[in-house]
Amino acid sequence: MSDRRLEVDGVSKRYGDTVALSGMTFEVRAGEIFGFVGSNGAGKTTTMRIALGVLAADAGEVRWDGTPVTLETRSRIGYMPEERGLYPRMKVGEQLEYLARLHGLTRVDAVRATAEWTERLGVAGRLGDEVQKLSLGNQQRVQLAAALVHHPEILVLDEPFSGLDPVAVDVMSEVLREKCADGVPVIFSSHQLDLVERISDRVGIVRAGRMVAVGTVAELRSGGTEELVVEAPQAAQGWADALPGVTVLTQDGGRTVLSLGTDADDQAVLRAALATGPVREFARRQPSLTELFRHVVSAQDKPEEAAA
Amino acid sequence: MTTPDKLRIGSREAIRLVAVREITVRIRSKAFLVLLAITAAAAVAIPLISHYANLSSGPTRIAVVQQDASLAPALQATAAQLGQKVTVSTVADRATGVDQVRSGDVAVLAESGPQGIRATVKKSLSTPLNQLFQVVDQQAALNAQITKLGGDPATVGQAVASAKVQVTELQPAKARNGQRLTIAIVAALLLYMTLMFVGQSVAQGVVEEKSSRVVELLLSTLRPWQLLAGKVFGTGLLGLIQMLVPAVLGVGVGLFTGALSLSLGSSIGTVAWALAWYGVGFALYALVFAALGATVSRQEDVGGLVLPATAPLILAWVVGISVVPSNPESSLVEWLSMVPPCAPVLMPMRIAMGVAPLWEMLLSLVLALAFSGVLLRFAGRIYRNAVLRSGARIPLREALKAA
C-alpha cells in the first residue's frame, strides 16, 4: 500500500463577512476511509469544493502525494457534490459515458466502465432512461456511478448516504471499502454518525471552519470520560455519592449512570453496589460518536451553535 | 485499478466532447425539430405557392353575344395594350350569356349599347374590366370622330403610341425587384428567428447546468472557458443546420420551379452572405446569452433576462420589415445596418436587395467582429465568475468585478 496522502493544509475561505473556513487542516491517507462530520454550515462542503477546485481558497493549499492539486489531478478525483448534479433530461448511460470521457477515458473504456458500475450499483436496467425518470434513490446510485466511472485515484463524496435505503447503504459502504482496499483515499461527509462510526477508519469533527478533533473513533473516545452503568434494584438514593472520583450522572430507580474520574476504582463501585443488594447489570459504556460529537460541538461553541 | 490512468484530455478534445453532447441532446429535442420542420416547410411552400399562383391566374373570360362579335377583336387588342389577359367567347344569345355569368363560366357578358358597353356580372365589375371597357368605349368614340373628320384611326393610333416621355435619371434607383425583396425578407426572418432560438438555447443550456448542479461536476474536470466554448460551438452548429436546411430547400425549389428567376450566382451570393452574418450574429448573441444565463439559477428567470438582450435584434427586424419594402435605400436602415447588434439582420437584407455598397458590407462586418471580440472578454468573465454561484440572480456589475 502506498503512503500517498491527500493533505488539506491551512485552507481558509471567506464569503464577504462570513468566515467559512479558517485554517482547515487534515490529511487522508491512501487506503483509508475518512469520515467528515460537523454541524450544518461548519465548512465540510466548502472544504470539499475547494479540494475539487470548484471553489478557490483564500489561503492554504490542497496537496496530493506532496504536490499541489491541479486540474490534472482533479480529473482523477471522483466527486459527488452535495447538491446532486446530473443532466435531468439525459439518459443514464449516455450521461455516465460522457462524464467518463470528460475525465479522459476512451469511448470503449467509458462504455465498459459505465456497464460495470451500473451493474454493480443495481441500475443497469435503467441505462436507457432519462435521469429525471428515476427515483431519488436510483438517481443517487447513478450519481455515485458518476463519481466512480473514471476509475478515480481519490474519492471525495459529499453526503453520499443521504436518502439511501438500507440495502443501498450496504452496497455503497461495500464499494467504499473496496475502493479503499485498492489504495484509494476516501473522504466522505455525513450526518449519520452511527454509519460514520461503523465504516470510517478515521473521523474528523469540524466546527466553525476548523478541524476540532481528528483520529480513529477509539482515539477520540479516549479523550472523553468513561461511564459506568449499574443496575441495582434495591440501591437507595445516593448510594454512590461518597465513592472517591465518581460522579453520579443520573439515577433512575435502580439504574445509575456514573462517570469515572482518573482516580476512581470501578471495583470499589461494584463492591458498593453489591452492598445494596443484587446487581443485575454492571457495564462500562464507551461514548458513541454521536455523544462525542455533541460534546465537542456544544462544549466549545455555546454562543454560535444556537444559530446553526 | 481496472484501467490504466489516462492523462487529462486536451482542450480541443474537451470542447469537442461538450459540443457533441450539446448537439446530440438538442437535435432530438422537440423545440428544435418543430422549428426546423416549420421553417423547412415554409421554405418549400413559399416558392411552390408563388409558382402555382402564377399558373392558376389564367385569363379573364369575357362572353359576347353573336351580333356583337365585332367587339371581340377590339377587346382583345385593348386588353393586350393594357397588359391584361382575356379570352373572348361568343354565345348564341343574351340568356345563354347571363346563364354563363351566373354559373361562373365567364366573368362578364359584354354587349354593345347606344351608350357604350353594357356589362352583366355576377356581383360587381372588377376594376381591370371596368378600365378595359372604358378604354374600348373611348377608343370607339374617338375612332368615330376621327373617321368623321376624314382621318384614319390606325394612323392616329400609331402617332399616339409613338409619343413617349424621355427621362434622364441622375441617381437611378436600384431595380425594385419583388423577388429580391422576398429573398431579403426571408433571409432577415431566418436570421432573426435563428439568432433568437440559438440565443435562448444557449441561455437555457447554461441555466440547465447551473440549476441541476451538473456544472459543479463538469468544472471539476473542465475549465470554464472550455465548457463555454463547447456549448457555444455546439449550439452554433445546430443553428447553422436550422438556417441552412430552409435556405437550401427554398433556393433549390425556387430555382427548380422557376419561381426564382434570379441567377444561381446571385442567389448563392445572398445565401453565403446570410450565412456569414449568421456566424457573426451568433458570436455576438450567443456569448451575451451564455453570460446572462450564468447569472441566474432557475429556468423561470431566463425569460426576463433574454428580453432586454434581444431588443436590438427585434428592433432590427421590425425596422427591416416595415421600412425596407417601401424604401430599401432608407438612411435609417443604412445607419442601423452599421450598428453591430442590428447588423446581422439588416445588412444581409440590404445585401439581398442589392443596395449595399461593398465598402459598407465590409465595414459593418469589421465593426461587428470587433464588437464581438470586446463582448467575448466581458462575457467570458461574467460566465466564469457567476456560473458556480447558485441562488439569487447575480448582478452583472458584481459578476464582472468578482475575482
Side-chain angles (χ1 to χ4, degrees):
Chain A
M1 190 152 301
S2 77
D3 60 350
R4 299 203 284 183
R5 54 193 62 197
L6 181 71
E7 294 163 281
V8 174
D9 186 4
V11 172
S12 298
K13 176 77 186 175
R14 310 173 66 94
Y15 297 107
D17 294 334
T18 319
V19 176
L21 293 181
S22 67
M24 171 68 74
T25 303
F26 64 97
E27 58 176 41
V28 186
R29 296 164 200 141
E32 172 179 83
I33 298 184
F34 186 85
F36 204 28
V37 302
S39 317
N40 295 324
K44 304 184 297 291
T45 297
T46 305
T47 307
M48 292 191 179
R49 296 181 80 196
I50 287 174
L52 263 296
V54 171
L55 206 62
D58 297 338
E61 197 172 60
V62 181
R63 288 184 296 270
W64 168 238
D65 201 13
T67 48
V69 166
T70 60
L71 197 59
E72 190 174 308
T73 326
R74 285 180 187 123
S75 71
R76 287 176 280 147
I77 302 182
Y79 177 41
M80 188 160 171
E82 179 192 22
E83 304 203 46
R84 308 305 181 214
L86 291 170
Y87 289 104
R89 276 188 289 273
M90 201 172 169
K91 289 177 181 163
V92 170
E94 287 176 6
Q95 182 136 234
L96 291 174
E97 285 160 25
Y98 172 62
L99 290 170
R101 298 203 63 197
L102 281 184
H103 283 88
L105 263 63
T106 62
R107 183 190 297 276
V108 177
D109 288 343
V111 171
R112 192 189 301 138
T114 299
E116 206 174 293
W117 281 111
T118 47
E119 180 67 41
R120 182 70 207 279
L121 294 169
V123 282
R126 312 303 298 272
L127 280 175
D129 289 334
E130 289 181 358
V131 169
Q132 61 181 1
K133 297 209 172 112
L134 270 58
S135 68
L136 284 179
N138 279 340
Q139 287 189 19
Q140 185 102 324
R141 292 169 192 239
V142 176
Q143 191 81 50
L144 180 67
L148 293 164
V149 76
H150 56 282
H151 313 298
E153 275 179 20
I154 304 164
L155 275 177
V156 177
L157 312 171
D158 204 347
E159 300 274 356
F161 294 100
S162 74
L164 286 185
D165 63 50
V167 177
V169 166
D170 289 346
V171 174
M172 175 107 49
S173 325
E174 204 179 296
V175 169
L176 298 193
R177 276 265 154 248
E178 209 170 275
K179 279 280 152 190
C180 153
D182 279 346
V184 172
V186 178
I187 168 168
F188 78 101
S189 68
S190 180
H191 290 299
Q192 287 152 274
L193 299 178
D194 51 333
L195 191 66
V196 175
E197 187 171 354
R198 202 166 72 225
I199 68 173
S200 306
D201 297 311
R202 288 198 309 139
V203 176
I205 302 179
V206 58
R207 187 188 59 83
R210 286 179 166 280
M211 191 59 88
V212 287
V214 60
T216 62
V217 176
E219 280 165 4
L220 291 177
R221 275 181 185 139
S222 68
T225 50
E226 214 167 326
E227 286 174 9
L228 211 52
V229 178
V230 181
E231 174 96 42
Q234 291 166 24
Q237 197 69 28
W239 64 272
D241 287 355
L243 293 166
V246 170
T247 319
V248 175
L249 297 175
T250 59
Q251 186 174 3
D252 179 16
R255 189 179 176 82
T256 312
V257 180
L258 309 135
S259 112
L260 297 183
T262 41
D263 56 338
D265 177 4
D266 54 356
Q267 295 310 305
V269 177
L270 178 59
R271 280 192 295 276
L274 281 168
T276 66
V279 174
R280 303 267 179 248
E281 187 186 344
F282 182 83
R284 275 178 174 270
R285 195 175 69 170
Q286 299 228 294
S288 67
L289 184 60
T290 310
E291 285 162 313
L292 287 171
F293 176 73
R294 286 218 184 90
H295 179 71
V296 166
V297 165
S298 61
Q300 304 183 27
D301 197 23
K302 290 279 190 241
E304 285 171 39
E305 204 51 36
Chain B
M1 292 284 113
T2 43
T3 303
D5 287 337
K6 290 261 155 48
L7 280 184
R8 231 181 69 71
I9 51 172
S11 286
R12 191 183 298 189
E13 177 67 0
I15 293 169
R16 196 187 65 80
L17 282 169
V18 174
V20 166
R21 190 207 83 89
E22 205 65 34
I23 293 170
T24 48
V25 169
R26 284 192 183 275
I27 214 159
R28 290 179 292 200
S29 81
K30 278 203 191 87
F32 176 80
L33 292 176
V34 167
L35 188 62
L36 186 62
I38 290 173
T39 49
V44 173
I46 292 169
L48 277 184
I49 289 170
S50 88
H51 180 61
Y52 285 107
N54 283 341
L55 287 187
S56 65
S57 64
T60 312
R61 287 186 296 267
I62 302 174
V64 293
V65 289
Q66 202 83 61
Q67 61 264 38
D68 286 338
S70 63
L71 207 54
L75 282 171
Q76 271 159 341
T78 311
Q81 274 172 25
L82 292 172
Q84 297 182 9
K85 280 193 268 180
V86 298
T87 54
V88 183
S89 57
T90 317
V91 290
D93 51 25
R94 186 163 197 280
T96 321
V98 170
D99 279 349
Q100 284 191 0
V101 170
R102 195 166 278 136
S103 70
D105 284 347
V106 297
V108 61
L109 172 68
E111 296 164 282
S112 59
Q115 306 290 310
I117 291 174
R118 287 196 308 166
T120 308
V121 293
K122 204 166 170 182
K123 286 197 173 122
S124 64
L125 189 61
S126 72
T127 314
L129 280 177
N130 191 8
Q131 189 194 9
L132 172 63
F133 294 157
Q134 218 157 22
V135 174
V136 169
D137 279 345
Q138 286 165 358
Q139 199 68 47
L142 200 60
N143 286 354
Q145 289 299 321
I146 290 167
T147 314
K148 210 181 207 176
L149 292 169
D152 176 13
T155 320
V156 175
Q158 267 173 10
V160 169
S162 66
K164 260 191 190 155
V165 183
Q166 300 289 312
V167 181
T168 308
E169 292 167 333
L170 291 176
Q171 215 177 2
K174 298 289 189 306
R176 286 194 195 164
N177 186 315
Q179 286 188 12
R180 278 183 178 278
L181 182 62
T182 308
I183 292 177
I185 291 175
V186 169
L189 179 62
L190 268 179
L191 278 162
Y192 169 71
M193 280 192 352
T194 312
L195 289 177
M196 282 286 223
F197 173 79
V198 162
Q200 302 222 13
S201 300
V202 170
Q204 280 169 0
V206 170
V207 177
E208 184 195 22
E209 282 172 0
K210 239 191 121 169
S211 64
S212 70
R213 302 303 192 115
V214 75
V215 69
E216 193 159 322
L217 211 54
L218 298 177
L219 289 189
S220 65
T221 181
L222 291 173
R223 292 185 197 281
W225 72 266
Q226 293 170 336
L227 182 57
L228 179 60
K231 201 159 202 57
V232 165
F233 274 129
T235 321
L237 276 177
L238 279 182
L240 197 60
I241 297 173
Q242 190 72 266
M243 286 265 310
L244 212 50
V245 169
V248 168
L249 278 177
V251 171
V253 173
L255 289 173
F256 183 73
T257 57
L260 192 65
S261 58
L262 291 177
S263 73
L264 185 63
S266 136
S267 312
I268 288 176
T270 304
V271 171
W273 270 109
L275 289 178
W277 272 105
Y278 166 71
V280 177
F282 178 75
L284 263 164
Y285 280 96
L287 290 169
V288 170
F289 281 105
L292 289 176
T295 64
V296 297
S297 304
R298 299 182 310 157
Q299 286 297 353
E300 303 92 279
D301 296 334
V302 175
L305 273 180
V306 161
L307 197 63
T310 49
L313 207 54
I314 296 172
L315 172 76
W317 166 242
V318 169
V319 167
I321 191 72
S322 54
V323 176
V324 170
S326 57
N327 185 8
E329 284 162 285
S330 140
S331 53
L332 172 69
V333 173
E334 188 174 350
W335 276 108
L336 278 181
S337 73
M338 290 291 159
V339 178
C342 295
V345 170
L346 286 179
M347 192 39 102
M349 212 172 173
R350 293 183 64 215
I351 293 171
M353 292 299 287
V355 296
L358 186 62
W359 71 269
E360 284 189 4
M361 296 187 202
L362 297 178
L363 177 62
S364 155
L365 199 62
V366 168
L367 285 176
L369 283 174
F371 188 66
S372 63
V374 173
L375 279 181
L376 174 65
R377 269 183 66 101
F378 287 107
R381 192 152 160 185
I382 292 174
Y383 180 82
R384 192 172 62 237
N385 288 332
V387 76
L388 281 167
R389 289 178 56 185
S390 49
R393 178 172 171 195
I394 301 150
L396 282 184
R397 189 179 304 224
E398 204 177 303
L400 269 174
K401 186 177 60 185

